[in-house]
Structures are given as structure tokens and as C-alpha cells.
Amino acid sequence: MEMVGHNTLVVLLGATALGLAAGMVGCFMVLRRRALVSDALSHATLPGIVTAFLTGLALGIDGRSLPLLLAGAAISGVIAVLTIQAIKRWTRLTEDAAIGAVLSVFFGAGVVLLSVVQELPAANAAGLKGFIFGQTAAMRSGEAMGLGALALVAAALIWLFFKEFRLLAFDEGFARAAGWPTGRIDLALMALVTLVTVVGLQTVGLVLIIALLITPAATARFWTDDLAAMLIIAGGVGAVSGGVGALLSSRFADLPAGAIIVLVATSLFFISLIIAPSRGLLGRSLRRARLRRALLARGITG
Amino acid sequence: MLQRLLSDNFIPSADAGVGALAVSGLSVAYHQRLVLRDITWTAPAHGLVAIVGPNGAGKSTFLKAVLGLVPALTGNIEIYGRPLKRQRALIGYVPQRESVDWDFPVSALDVVTMGRYGLIGWGRRITGKHRAAAMQALDRVGMADLAHRQIGQLSGGQQQRVFLARALAQEARLYFMDEPLAGVDAATEQTILAVLRELDAEGRTVICVHHDLQTVAETFDHVLMLNGELVAAGPVYEALTEDNLRRAYGQRASGLRLGPR
């Protein structure tokens, strides 16, 4: 194997850190049944990105300034989540209907805005499309360090407030009755998800970031019945997916990194689905077969 | 500990005549439908209280509104004479078993330890002392040997006992329980009833949504009878009259026998 170049190393470390953060944070989204809310959040970043680009253009700033675009992404993502909550609270629509409506409206608006921007003669909107499917190859070392910082922040917050997050995810009513500020704990969790989503947009893209949040958590659940272990395994699965995915996509230059990362995570998911000892399909059917044989041997045939 | 001190809980002495829970003018609506109308009631300072009423009478809603889990349209709640907000640390809660996902990756001991979180405080580690207290609570409901089992692998009755143990671990003064005896096996029922009597003997108050009219008189001292509004309240033998039952349940209750008189 030839040496890994500097650029590849940067991408590798950045994607690994993103996978680690997404894997850990995603556990709480899966356990709180918020997977689809995170999907709406990520899709809803698109109109924010394009609007931020246009705003930058109007103000005479370089529209492709990353902080500006990510701020726009975060704002429209948060507006989408708030809209879902408002629909749920003030109408009789169920959450899945609210999510479906909000996701498609925001994403649709984003696509329309994007095609308008690309028609503008003055605008150089070439980079914007990268946010949809991700463009890992273009990662700079500053961005990789940003992803590393994100992973550190996520891990530190989860370590510090592990018991609060666990309580909220398991039994929100009990937590509120006991006087915990569940709204604020929930806000902290949603802020973490928003952060992971927005920071991960460039790497994995807004269509697929959901997979990096959910798949490692779902994979980890096969291997353990303990939340702390699940967080560690999910972080590991996310990190490996990010790292291996980035490496593969750098070897085969035409492969989009986001898609490869997600495919690696999905492979790990399917392997776990089959071979995980206690919750996997293989273990289950073996145990059932053994039980049936034991019953038959004892002459209990029904 | 810190949380307890800061919240400045206040329990008046027994002879001050202040009820454990005072509800005044409580109304609750889901969307446009009024579920509870103008409930005014003071729970006694001691004893076991059953909240009874037909399906849809708003029993659980009453409990949740008192705890601030569903918004009240109107009304005021006081715990030992002070606003609920300042008295949270005095409250223990056993929600309905169906309210959580039992496939959640935690052990029975993990769940019971959650009852200690308020005593442990924000961002602090769970120490051995609190784990021991949780273990003791599990032992009290006869579940010590299943402490490390994932909660999804427990039977319904065992899950209900885990919820009760979590409330015991809270070391509360006033307990709210939402149908703790619903759908449990006979052994679990005996364990839970024994714990309720212990709590009573320790001078704590338990307010319990209860579905089984037949057993109310055997276990509880007081009843609150609801049917969207307050039908009757008071000592079991005063409030649980045939007349009141007919007003709460309609004709269905007329054949009910109410235990020894």
C-alpha cells in the first residue's frame, strides 16, 4: 500500500471525527424516536444555505464564506424543527405528517432557490451543490480540525450530562415530575444534533447526514443492552464508517465520499443484524431451534 | 442534596391542618374537549388515597395536571401549602407502565437509580451510595436478584415493581401513582399493596389512580371520585356510597358490592 498523502489524511481524520460525533449523538435521536426529525432538520438546511449565499452576495461578501453558509443552514434547520413542534402542538396532525410536510416544503424551496441562483450571471454558485451530496475531497485542514472539535464537544457534553440525557430519553414524564428542566435538556440535545448536521453538511451532504446519525446507533443497539456501551459502539461504528468511507472515496476519485461513508455504515449494520449474538437474526433463530429441539426431546409436542 | 436545600421544601407539622395536596378550580382541556371541570379538592395530610372513576373520567389527566405534565386551563396546585414548583423534591411519581419504551437499553437497577438523580444533582456522577440506595429499593419490592437484567426481559409485574422501586428511591413525602396495580400478577399485587401500607405507616401520603372498585375499601382510606368533574371525596365509607357510584359510573355500578360495612 502506498503512503497516504497529506490531503487524504486530513479528509480521513475529519470524516472519522464527524462519524464519532454523529454516532454518539444519533443514539439519543434513535432512542427518543427523533430519527425523522433529524432528517427534516438536515433537508431543511438547503434554503438556509442558498439564502445565506444570496445575502452574502447582496452585502458584497464572498457568498461562499463557510461560516455564513453554515449559519444560514443552522437557522433554517432550526426553523423547520420549531415548525414541526408548532404543528404538533397546535393542530391535530400527527408528528409524521408534520415532518413530511415540513421536510418537503423546506427542501423544495431550497431546490427552487438553488436553481434561481444558478441562473444569476453574477453569482458563482458552483460550490453550493456540494452541500447536497457532500464533497469530502475538498476538505481543508481547518475544516478537519473543526470536525475534531465537534467530536470533542459532543463526547464531553454526553459524558457530563449522561444521566440527564438518559433520563430524558427513557422517561420524560418522570423527569418533569421530578423537577428536571426537560425543555432545556431537550434543547441541549437538539443543539448537538443541529451542530453535527450543519458541520457535517460539507462532508456527507444534507441528503445523507441522517444515515450517519441513525445507522451507527441502530447498529450499536444489536450488540448491547447498556446505553453507555451503545454510545461507545455507535461512536466507533460512525468513526470507522467515516474513516473507511473517506479513504475509499479518495482511492477511487469519482466516488462521492458521503455515499461511500453511508454504505460502509450500512454494511456494518447488516453484518450486525445477522451475527450479533443476542439480538441478531442468526442468534435468535439458533436459540429458537435449540428450544424447539429441547421441547421435542421432552415430548412436549403440543 | 444541593437541590433539596435550594428548593427550600416546606412540610408543615401534622397539626397545622394543611393538606398534602390542595387543588382549586382545576380544569383541563385536550384541544377543545374539556376533560376535567373545576376540580377543588384537598388531600388529607396522611393516608392512602384512591382516585376512582369510569374510563375517560380524567383520572390520569388529573394526576398529570397536578404534576404539571399536561397544561391546566385554570386552577391552582399547592403541595403542603406551597406552590408545586418549590416542592418538587417532596414528590414521587409512578407513571403508567405503557408510558415508556421497555426495549430501552437500561437495566432494572439503572431505572431505579433514576429515582436518585434529583438527590445527586446536575452533571454529577452516580456514586456508590446512591447505587446502594437504589439496590435497597429494588430489594424492597423483591427484585434485587433481577437488578442487572435489561428491563425488556422482565415480566409486566416485574416492570411495575421496578417503577415502584424507582419512586421509593426518590424518598418522597407525597407519592402519585398511575394505576400501579393494573394488569399485574397476584404476587406483584401483594408486594405493591404491602409497600403502600409501609409508606402509609411511615407517615407518607400516596395518591393512587385505581381501577378496581372491589379492592378500594380494603386498601385505601380516602377516595376521590371523578367523572369529568368531582363526584365525591372523603373517607372511603362516606364517599363510596351506592348513590355516588351511580352518579359516577351510571347504571353499571348499581350491582357492585362494596365490601364489608
Side-chain angles (χ1 to χ4, degrees):
Chain A
M1 215 180 201
E2 68 203 72
M3 285 289 288
V4 174
H6 173 74
N7 278 341
T8 311
L9 195 66
V10 165
V11 172
L12 188 81
L13 291 177
T16 303
L18 174 67
L20 181 73
M24 288 186 298
V25 174
C27 286
F28 290 105
M29 292 302 104
V30 169
L31 292 172
R32 294 212 72 199
R33 310 191 168 194
R34 285 275 177 83
L36 288 174
V37 178
S38 344
D39 198 21
L41 167 70
S42 56
H43 277 81
T45 56
L46 187 57
I49 292 167
V50 186
T51 310
F53 176 80
L54 286 171
T55 311
L57 213 60
L59 294 176
I61 318 167
D62 180 9
R64 281 168 302 170
S65 138
L66 192 57
L68 180 74
L69 296 181
L70 294 190
I75 291 170
S76 70
V78 168
I79 291 175
V81 172
L82 293 177
T83 311
I84 291 169
Q85 279 167 359
I87 291 175
K88 216 172 76 176
R89 178 156 178 192
W90 300 111
T91 75
R92 283 171 183 245
L93 284 181
T94 52
E95 186 170 32
D96 59 332
I99 290 170
V102 168
L103 185 153
S104 47
V105 166
F106 274 73
F107 190 61
V111 171
V112 170
L113 279 173
L114 191 60
S115 47
V116 169
V117 166
Q118 279 166 336
E119 298 298 309
L120 291 180
N124 181 2
L128 290 186
K129 265 200 158 153
F131 283 100
I132 298 180
F133 292 114
Q135 40 174 226
T136 317
M139 196 188 288
R140 286 181 292 249
S141 55
E143 290 158 22
M145 282 199 289
L147 290 169
L150 167 78
L152 272 180
V153 167
L157 273 176
I158 288 174
W159 184 78
L160 195 58
F161 296 114
F162 174 70
K163 102 179 175 297
E164 286 77 6
F165 288 156
R166 174 162 75 177
L167 176 64
L168 178 80
F170 175 62
D171 193 346
E172 187 172 354
F174 177 84
R176 276 170 68 192
W180 290 95
T182 50
R184 263 180 282 164
I185 303 172
D186 196 28
L187 202 67
L189 264 182
M190 282 317 288
L192 261 181
V193 176
T194 310
L195 205 63
V196 169
T197 305
V198 168
V199 178
L201 282 181
Q202 266 212 314
T203 308
V204 182
L206 58 87
V207 177
L208 291 176
I209 184 80
I210 177 72
L212 201 53
L213 278 164
I214 303 310
T215 317
T219 306
R221 187 67 188 87
F222 281 113
W223 295 94
T224 177
D225 277 333
D226 179 70
L227 180 56
M230 179 177 166
L231 285 164
I232 292 167
I233 297 172
V237 169
V240 168
S241 308
V244 173
L247 200 62
L248 285 177
S249 87
S250 75
R251 299 254 145 186
F252 309 97
D254 285 342
L255 295 177
I260 300 297
I261 289 173
V262 166
L263 286 177
V264 173
T266 309
S267 315
L268 292 173
F269 172 82
F270 275 114
I271 292 169
S272 306
L273 170 74
I274 293 166
I275 69 161
S278 75
R279 297 173 73 95
L281 294 177
L282 205 60
R284 279 194 181 183
S285 55
L286 280 177
R287 269 194 308 283
R288 279 185 66 83
R290 207 174 303 141
L291 184 65
R292 189 168 55 223
R293 245 177 296 139
L295 283 174
L296 289 173
R298 265 184 256 150
I300 308 168
T301 53
Chain B
M1 217 39 221
L2 192 61
Q3 202 185 351
R4 284 237 154 147
L5 291 173
L6 289 177
S7 62
D8 185 25
N9 307 124
F10 173 71
I11 311 172
S13 60
D15 52 19
V18 180
L21 165 70
V23 177
S24 56
L26 177 70
S27 299
V28 181
Y30 288 135
H31 295 288
Q32 269 88 358
R33 199 167 62 85
L34 204 57
V35 183
L36 284 174
R37 183 161 61 190
D38 196 24
I39 310 282
T40 296
W41 175 63
T42 301
H46 296 290
L48 304 179
V49 184
I51 302 176
V52 299
N55 286 337
K59 303 185 293 288
S60 283
T61 303
F62 176 80
L63 220 57
K64 286 182 184 151
V66 163
L67 290 166
L69 304 183
V70 299
L73 214 54
T74 62
N76 187 45
I77 311 292
E78 284 189 350
I79 308 285
Y80 296 109
R82 291 200 169 184
L84 169 72
K85 238 171 136 175
R86 302 172 60 180
Q87 303 279 59
R88 290 263 185 208
L90 295 175
I91 292 174
Y93 179 39
V94 178
Q96 276 186 25
R97 185 151 45 89
E98 294 77 30
S99 64
V100 301
D101 169 18
W102 290 93
D103 196 39
F104 202 88
V106 283
S107 68
L109 183 61
D110 290 333
V111 172
V112 176
T113 309
M114 290 177 189
R116 306 292 298 178
Y117 285 6
L119 299 159
I120 297 169
W122 267 105
R124 287 162 184 265
R125 304 283 98 188
I126 300 164
T127 58
K129 188 186 88 178
H130 292 291
R131 221 168 270 125
M135 202 64 198
Q136 217 173 350
L138 265 175
D139 193 36
R140 225 174 135 179
V141 298
M143 290 280 296
D145 49 336
L146 297 175
H148 298 289
R149 188 140 327 158
Q150 194 265 326
I151 53 172
Q153 291 159 26
L154 301 172
S155 74
Q158 290 167 338
Q159 291 173 346
Q160 191 66 60
R161 281 192 262 170
V162 168
F163 262 14
L164 180 63
R166 179 176 66 173
L168 292 176
Q170 290 184 284
E171 291 179 15
R173 175 66 192 261
L174 168 63
Y175 282 101
F176 293 95
M177 305 189 184
D178 203 343
E179 302 250 24
L181 295 167
V184 300
D185 54 285
T188 297
E189 183 171 305
Q190 288 315 308
T191 309
I192 293 177
L193 288 175
V195 169
L196 290 185
R197 289 188 199 104
E198 282 167 30
L199 290 172
D200 182 31
E202 291 163 9
R204 303 175 207 267
T205 305
V206 181
I207 299 176
C208 200
V209 172
H210 192 63
H211 64 290
D212 184 8
L213 274 180
Q214 312 282 351
T215 56
V216 167
E218 293 163 23
T219 308
F220 295 92
D221 311 310
H222 292 262
V223 289
L224 167 65
M225 199 183 292
L226 296 176
N227 187 6
E229 46 194 40
L230 189 145
V231 175
V236 168
Y237 289 113
E238 284 175 30
L240 213 60
T241 63
E242 193 124 351
D243 200 37
N244 284 335
L245 284 171
R246 203 169 297 118
R247 278 168 56 210
Y249 290 80
Q251 285 308 312
R252 280 178 298 145
S254 55
L256 275 173
R257 288 193 299 118
L258 297 174
R261 199 165 260 277

